[in-house]
Amino acid sequence: MAAMLEVNDINVYYGAIHAIKGISFEVNEGEVVTLIGANGAGKSTTLKTISGLLHSTTGSISFQGESIVGVPPHKLVSRGLAQVPEGRAVFLQMTVEENLEMGAYTRPNAEIDPGIARVYEQFPRLKERRKQIAGTLSGGEQQMLAMGRALMSSPKLMMLDEPSMGLAPILVEQIFDIIKELHKEGTTILLVEQNARMALSVADRGYVLETGKVVTSGSGQELLDDESVKKAYLGG
C-alpha cells in the first residue's frame, strides 16, 4: 500500500514551548488513521503543521511522494489535501449552499453543481437547509456543513480535527457513520479526535500522542485492546 502522507521527525514550537517533539507517522492510500491523546498532546498542532499553518523546524512532510514543506495552505487544497478545522469554522453569514460553493474554489466551474449534488446525497439534512444561513444551524449541522465544504474540493486526503467536539452523543454517532461511509467510498482520512473509543473503532490504524510525542501505535483494534490505552483514554 502506498503512503499518501509521510510525516517524518517534525518539531514545532510556540515561542519557547516545544509542542511537537520529533513526531513521525504515515497515512496510506484508502486508510482511516487516527491521532488520539489528551488535550494539549499536540494532535491539532500536527494537523496545522501538515496544512502549512504552522512550520516545523526539522524533518519532512510529503504528500503523494512530494515535499509539501513551505507550500501555502491554499495550494495544498488544489493538490488534494483538505482540512475540516476544529470548531467547524463555517462562514456564519452565508447560506449552506454558499458555504459549499466556497469549498469548490479550486475546482473548475463545471464540477460545482455535481459536487453540491453529491454532498446533498451524503448529507440530506444540508439539502433541506440549503438556503438557510449557516450561523442558524445546530452544531451537528455545522459539522456536516464543514465536512461537506471540504468534500467540495474533491480531496485525496481529508483531515478532520475533533469532528465530535461539543456534539450530543446521537450526533457523534451520525458523524462517525459519515466517516465510515467516506472510508467505504475510498476517501483517505486522517482523524484527530478526543473521543478515542469512537476514533479507534473506525480507524485502520492509530497513533497515541502524549506531550508532543508518539508513544504507541497499532491497528485500531490493537489499541482498543491495549491495557495502557484503555486505562488512559477509554475509561477501562
Side-chain angles (χ1 to χ4, degrees):
M1 206 184 279
M4 182 175 272
L5 176 74
E6 289 177 280
V7 175
N8 182 42
D9 188 33
I10 61 169
N11 284 270
V12 181
Y13 292 81
Y14 288 112
I17 297 163
H18 195 177
I20 298 292
K21 301 164 185 163
I23 283 179
S24 299
F25 66 92
E26 62 184 36
V27 181
N28 296 316
E29 197 167 333
E31 280 189 315
V32 174
V33 171
T34 187
L35 308 180
I36 63 167
N39 248 339
K43 306 183 302 296
S44 294
T45 300
T46 301
L47 287 199
K48 285 178 183 158
T49 307
I50 296 165
S51 287
L53 299 168
L54 294 171
H55 301 289
S56 174
T57 55
T58 61
S60 62
I61 302 170
S62 63
F63 178 58
Q64 296 192 301
E66 290 184 12
S67 172
I68 54 171
V69 173
V71 176
H74 66 281
K75 291 267 174 66
L76 291 177
V77 176
S78 45
R79 286 197 192 186
L81 189 67
Q83 182 168 344
V84 179
E86 185 182 346
R88 308 185 256 287
V90 295
F91 300 108
L92 297 174
Q93 312 301 326
M94 292 183 177
T95 65
V96 164
E97 200 143 293
E98 287 166 343
N99 267 273
L100 294 177
E101 287 166 355
M102 290 296 282
Y105 76 95
T106 61
R107 311 303 300 169
N109 284 346
E111 289 183 19
I112 295 176
D113 287 345
I116 287 176
R118 248 194 329 271
V119 169
Y120 286 159
E121 212 172 291
Q122 194 91 52
F123 304 93
R125 183 85 59 86
L126 295 183
K127 188 174 185 181
E128 292 165 21
R129 307 268 193 274
R130 62 186 181 276
K131 299 296 178 201
Q132 203 167 312
I133 298 294
T136 65
L137 300 177
S138 70
E141 288 163 348
Q142 286 189 15
Q143 184 61 54
M144 289 174 197
L145 180 54
M147 290 168 78
R149 184 180 60 190
L151 285 170
M152 287 296 293
S153 68
S154 297
K156 296 184 177 87
L157 173 64
M158 192 166 174
M159 302 197 297
L160 296 166
D161 195 355
E162 303 284 8
S164 78
M165 188 186 269
L167 299 185
I170 184 125
L171 289 170
V172 173
E173 293 277 351
Q174 277 180 26
I175 294 297
F176 275 90
D177 283 345
I178 291 161
I179 292 169
K180 282 185 213 162
E181 197 57 42
L182 293 172
H183 182 210
K184 215 185 288 174
E185 289 170 6
T187 307
T188 306
I189 294 171
L190 176 58
L191 170 65
V192 155
E193 181 53 67
Q194 196 97 46
N195 186 332
R197 189 180 299 281
M198 289 295 277
L200 293 171
S201 71
V202 300
D204 297 297
R205 294 185 304 109
Y207 294 84
V208 180
L209 270 59
E210 277 177 20
T211 58
K213 292 180 188 152
V214 172
V215 291
T216 187
S217 64
S219 73
Q221 194 55 55
E222 283 166 355
L223 293 174
L224 280 169
D225 295 338
D226 183 298
E227 287 307 321
S228 62
V229 172
K230 275 186 190 175
K231 207 167 164 184
Y233 305 107
L234 307 176

